[in-house]
Amino acid sequence: MVKKVAWGAGHGINTPGKRSPEGEREWSFNNIVVTEGIKHLKSNYENVEVLRLDDSTGKRDVPLRERTNKANAWGADVYVSTHHNANTGKWGNWTGTETYTYLGNHPGAEALASKVHKRIVKAYGLRDRGLKKADFHVLRETKMDAILTEGGYMDSTIDIKKLRDKEVLKKAGRAIADGIADYLNLKPEKGGSKPSKGKGTYTVKKGDTLWDIAKDHGMTVKQLKKLNNLKSDTIYPGQKLKVKGARSKPSKPKSFKVGQKVTVKKSASKFTTGESIASFVKGNSYKVKQVKSDQVLLDGIMSWVRKKDVY
């Protein structure tokens, strides 16, 4: 039996007030989570349909009543509204992830919330603010089990670091999708989320790109995609890929400090997200804003670059 999931990113890109103190839009954060989550749900589980409730371009803030009416008329089994929080609108040190259900006792929605919440807390790596109750329209006016997630504070100096990391947001999307699948007892798609184990496979790590993996295993990106039946260049941490040859021993990452000025190599090709590095970025210098094990966040372009691609 096909299960129906109604899922929407909160607000629109131009909704007044829904942004970080530096002007980053809540919908943009929400959209990354929802887009990745829907893709993961449809690609990795059988017998599921998804109805996206917001405007996928973000240009229109779809009214709440329109969203709930559409979900009710469609006969959705669950309703998920994805948001990111705000407190005062000015930078502070509040932090955390929380998930809401409607006031009163609603065992189904509470079970869904529990399965989703524990996964997104892990995905964001932020404080667990728990399961909460609220009289939100999308929770009150829906006929199916409904939840609303708040993935972290846009005006938090702690949380914004996570929200600016697309891989964290994508991980949160997959976490919500897996929580939904668990609640609805969806079966994994054959040949989808459970690739064969053993020799000849590589587990994707955060920051990996198809180009890097192919190069390390003596393959071309075209060969790697064909071997794994990939239709796009999108991959995610934990994903297992079939490969040929042995992975070369990685070199020790260079050491950089926050505030240090570095230059992007002209040979650099991809950001850690897999997006191409524009020509105007190459050869230019930027200050390091954050440092991770094998990558740095560059101020000015606010993008993560592998340490091997800067000097």
Side-chain angles (χ1 to χ4, degrees):
M1 182 178 180
V2 175
K3 297 292 185 179
K4 295 183 175 182
V5 177
W7 196 345
H11 314 295
I13 200 167
N14 294 313
T15 304
K18 302 300 181 180
R19 57 200 67 186
S20 77
E22 292 188 12
E24 296 148 301
R25 311 305 172 93
E26 180 188 346
W27 181 85
S28 296
F29 297 134
N30 301 340
N31 176 56
I32 294 173
V33 175
V34 173
T35 300
E36 180 70 13
I38 291 176
K39 181 178 71 174
H40 183 73
L41 195 61
K42 294 172 71 174
S43 298
N44 291 285
Y45 294 98
E46 297 179 344
N47 299 320
V48 61
E49 294 180 359
V50 184
L51 173 66
R52 182 157 181 174
L53 299 167
D54 65 304
D55 177 0
S56 61
T57 69
K59 294 179 181 179
R60 177 172 176 254
D61 185 348
V62 179
L64 298 181
R65 185 171 297 281
E66 182 177 332
R67 298 185 189 215
T68 54
N69 285 348
K70 184 180 291 186
N72 289 336
W74 188 53
D77 293 291
V78 297
Y79 185 110
V80 179
S81 185
T82 297
H83 291 255
H84 290 85
N85 226 332
N87 190 6
T88 66
K90 296 181 180 180
W91 292 118
N93 62 358
W94 34 81
T95 179
T97 302
E98 53 196 26
T99 302
Y100 287 85
T101 55
Y102 186 54
L103 304 175
N105 183 30
H106 304 281
E110 289 158 11
L112 171 62
S114 178
K115 291 181 182 295
V116 167
H117 184 71
K118 66 181 181 182
R119 287 175 167 88
I120 60 172
V121 167
K122 184 177 180 180
Y124 283 103
L126 298 171
R127 174 188 166 194
D128 183 353
R129 295 176 61 88
L131 299 172
K132 300 189 175 184
K133 297 282 184 177
D135 186 21
F136 295 145
H137 175 95
V138 296
L139 304 179
R140 183 184 64 247
E141 301 300 327
T142 41
K143 296 178 181 179
M144 67 295 301
D145 296 325
I147 64 172
L148 182 147
T149 62
E150 292 281 9
Y153 285 85
M154 297 181 292
D155 53 2
S156 164
T157 55
I158 300 168
D159 296 8
I160 195 63
K161 296 174 184 178
K162 300 286 188 178
L163 273 55
R164 285 172 175 165
D165 188 334
K166 288 184 179 180
E167 290 306 314
V168 171
L169 296 177
K170 289 181 178 181
K171 188 175 181 180
R174 295 192 293 271
I176 295 173
D178 287 338
I180 293 170
D182 187 7
Y183 176 70
L184 294 175
N185 292 314
L186 298 179
K187 293 181 179 180
E189 183 75 41
K190 293 179 181 178
S193 61
K194 292 188 176 181
S196 59
K197 298 180 180 180
K199 294 182 179 180
T201 64
Y202 173 74
T203 302
V204 177
K205 297 178 178 59
K206 187 174 181 180
D208 279 340
T209 64
L210 287 178
W211 185 86
D212 293 320
I213 298 170
K215 181 181 177 183
D216 285 345
H217 292 87
M219 304 172 66
T220 65
V221 172
K222 185 176 180 179
Q223 289 172 330
L224 184 60
K225 290 175 71 174
K226 183 177 181 180
L227 183 62
N228 290 276
N229 195 30
L230 299 177
K231 304 300 182 184
S232 72
D233 292 340
T234 302
I235 53 177
Y236 56 87
Q239 181 178 3
K240 291 186 181 295
L241 298 176
K242 296 176 184 177
V243 293
K244 296 179 180 178
R247 182 176 173 85
S248 59
K249 186 176 181 180
S251 58
K252 186 177 180 180
K254 299 176 183 177
S255 177
F256 294 102
K257 296 180 180 179
V258 173
Q260 179 180 349
K261 203 167 187 179
V262 299
T263 301
V264 179
K265 293 180 181 179
K266 290 187 177 181
S267 60
S269 60
K270 302 278 187 180
F271 289 114
T272 59
T273 58
E275 298 175 16
S276 297
I277 297 177
S279 57
F280 71 84
V281 173
K282 301 176 184 180
N284 283 331
S285 298
Y286 304 90
K287 282 187 177 181
V288 175
K289 192 173 181 67
Q290 290 184 47
V291 179
K292 292 186 179 180
S293 60
D294 64 343
Q295 53 192 280
V296 290
L297 178 64
L298 303 183
D299 198 10
I301 58 174
M302 291 307 294
S303 295
W304 289 96
V305 179
R306 284 179 174 273
K307 288 182 177 180
K308 66 181 180 65
D309 287 329
V310 297
Y311 63 89

